[in-house]
Amino acid sequence: MAKFNVTVPHGLDRIVVVDRLKGFSEKIRDDGTIKISDLKENWDHAGNLDFSFKAMGLGISGQVVASDQDVKITGNMPLAAAMFRSTIETQIANKVREAINI
């Protein structure tokens, strides 16, 4: 497995960011750009997310941690996707920015 790491600075209140992110998975799933299946998400009481999904048949998993300064997304992807790591990280960052409206 290869790792990915994305940090999106925002300066918003953490609670606002978590609320905006919670409703965003449905939008991503219905986006149609990339076929996403088997999406699983587990939000803990502190507003952190553990997630997993398949995109183009490849399993991706990770964690999302929001603070008042930024959103950090870390996770694992198959080695087959590692050569696209920078594109994947850029797309994740763009989707987080879209979700939290920055």
Side-chain angles (χ1 to χ4, degrees), residues 2-21:
K3 302 232 181 255
F4 64 89
N5 186 3
V6 177
T7 300
V8 178
H10 59 72
L12 302 170
D13 184 87
R14 184 188 70 78
I15 294 170
V16 170
V17 170
V18 169
D19 284 344
R20 291 179 183 177
L21 289 171

Side-chain angles (χ1 to χ4, degrees), residues 3-53:
K3 302 232 181 255
F4 64 89
N5 186 3
V6 177
T7 300
V8 178
H10 59 72
L12 302 170
D13 184 87
R14 184 188 70 78
I15 294 170
V16 170
V17 170
V18 169
D19 284 344
R20 291 179 183 177
L21 289 171
K22 282 186 177 180
F24 197 66
S25 63
E26 287 296 320
K27 183 176 180 181
I28 291 173
R29 190 179 334 182
D30 296 337
D31 183 56
T33 306
I34 297 175
K35 173 83 169 129
I36 292 177
S37 62
D38 301 331
L39 176 64
K40 295 181 179 114
E41 55 183 295
N42 181 36
W43 291 93
D44 68 17
H45 67 284
N48 301 313
L49 169 65
D50 288 324
F51 67 88
S52 65
F53 62 89

Side-chain angles (χ1 to χ4, degrees), residues 51-71:
F51 67 88
S52 65
F53 62 89
K54 288 186 180 175
M56 300 184 301
L58 301 173
I60 297 174
S61 63
Q63 299 77 41
V64 177
V65 177
S67 72
D68 289 336
Q69 294 79 33
D70 57 32
V71 176

Side-chain angles (χ1 to χ4, degrees), residues 84-101:
F84 303 108
R85 178 188 347 248
S86 121
T87 300
I88 291 168
E89 289 176 337
T90 298
Q91 289 181 358
I92 289 171
N94 289 340
K95 288 297 185 184
V96 168
R97 285 186 196 96
E98 181 182 335
I100 61 177
N101 298 318

